Amino acid sequence: MELWQQPAHGLQKLLSKGEISARELMAAHLERLREVEPLVQSFITLTEETALEQAAQIDQRRETKEELAPLAGIPLALKDNFCVQGLATTCGSKMLENYTAIYDATVYRRLRKAGAVLLGKTNMDEFAMGSTSEHSAYHISKNPWDITRVPGGSSGGSAAAVAAGEVSCALGTDTGGSVRQPASFCGLVGLKPTYGRVSRSGVMGYASSLDQVGPLTRDVTDAATLLTLISGYDPLDPTTIKEAVPDYGDFLLSEVTGLKIGVPREYFQGADPEVAAVVWEGIKLLEKMGAKIEETSLLSTDYCSNAYYIVAVAEASSNLACIDGVRYGHRVQADNLEEMYIKSRGLLGPEARRRIILGTYILSGDAYKTYYLQAQKVRTLVKEDFAKALEKYDLLITPTSATTAPKIGARCGESPNLYPEDDYNVAVNLAGLPALSLPCGFAQGLPVGMQIIGKPFGEGTLIQAAYSLEQETGYDKMLPDVVAVDSKGVV
Ligand code: GLN
């Protein structure tokens, strides 16, 4: 097996046994990157030089027999909304094209301390607004399984980079599915932790009450490692919880006997029948392995998407008010103040503009009561709905997305709620719960993800169930070929 085909834990073993050097490991990924990056276009910024320097430093430490950190030499990618000191952090926007971060996001600091080596910053929908990564102001990333299709979004670049073997793991942010859904489209494990589990310090906010950072990895073992490393209280983020972080590696057990799993029927009704069938196959397998499966209902499902879009755009309009050309962002010279604002903000893409305008309206005058307060009430009902279901069940299982990855261009249009995919992801963010997307098969030759939802801070149980199923199915071993197509999309 080529080095770039291995998950991080496989590479770690080779490195600690002295079978490969960190430089060899990095060189293998860089070679792969040069081969496939022109096709998948995962990155906005590459940090090849510093990556090679850091790999050399790790090799020096190996030579002096220093104990290696758990991710020593592992090539990592970060979505371009994570601040890394001295590097451009564009958030997929032309507004921030010239912005250089002045400090490191806490999660990056933690991974760096654990030895991970940053290979670059990945493409994303502008300010994380979108489900396909087509709203990036830079370029459109492609799905490594079929480059005529999107990798999902908004963390599409991170997902494409891991699936194509350019890096072995990546971080994304999940406000309403942006880690889980691209993981599902690209055949990866994507984990959205409980709200408050992982620090958001140094991560540019989209909707602060919904955002969480999560890992995108080849398999569940890597997801457990990354989650353990990035989790925990951070004085720089007051929403992080002061609760001990388990070693999630302790949950890598192939055992589901007695686990009670609820399957909410609403999540299958609008799904592509092939996708639904693949997810059901996975559920039946869990049953055969000893889990107790029961169909159930989440009556709030129909209202989630509307409530989500109201809360998300309202918070976004407030978070992004500082990207105005005065405090942050590109500034266009003009004759007067108003013109300067208008021209500067003209650099925002249509989707970001639409959402900022809508969010500003929602928070103004009577609209606040009509929309925002109503949405918050619905959010409470959604939370209660899940809390009730999770009293009865240890886990809930749904498809991660109603469909497989759509063709590039198929989801472009004028309304923010264009994405049937979002309907399956946003409830988890409204309720602040942890959820994981696990590859569970293929439909029309494209990866299908199973969404496993857990109790607050129940990431361990998610990992255990996902690991058990992964051991049975082996979908983590399947990688895309990444093949070029002609202008008609033919291989
Ligand atoms: N697709 C959703 C949105 O556009 C979710 C995005 C995200 O999780 N960042 O809001």
Side-chain angles (χ1 to χ4, degrees), residues 12 66 113 133 142 152 187 200 205 276 299 310 316 324 338 349 421:
Q12 234 175 323
E66 237 181 81
K113 199 165 150 221
S133 302
K142 319 289 187 309
R200 292 177 294 113
L299 293 173
I310 289 170
D324 57 2
E338 200 179 336
E421 292 84 5

Side-chain angles (χ1 to χ4, degrees), residues 209-287:
S209 76
L210 302 160
D211 298 342
Q212 271 295 284
V213 170
L216 285 138
T217 57
R218 293 275 173 68
D219 63 15
V220 180
T221 305
D222 281 356
T225 305
L226 260 74
L227 183 65
T228 307
L229 291 167
I230 61 173
S231 290
Y233 175 68
D234 176 13
L236 298 175
D237 176 358
T239 62
T240 49
I241 307 287
K242 277 188 181 155
E243 203 175 292
V245 179
D247 180 345
Y248 290 106
D250 292 344
F251 292 90
L252 297 169
L253 306 166
S254 218
E255 178 61 89
V256 292
T257 312
L259 262 191
K260 280 187 266 159
I261 298 177
V263 182
R265 53 182 74 85
E266 290 81 0
Y267 281 77
F268 288 80
Q269 282 155 3
D272 172 313
E274 258 191 79
V275 167
V278 167
V279 175
W280 263 114
E281 248 172 62
I283 295 170
K284 291 281 173 209
L285 195 53
L286 282 167
E287 189 169 41

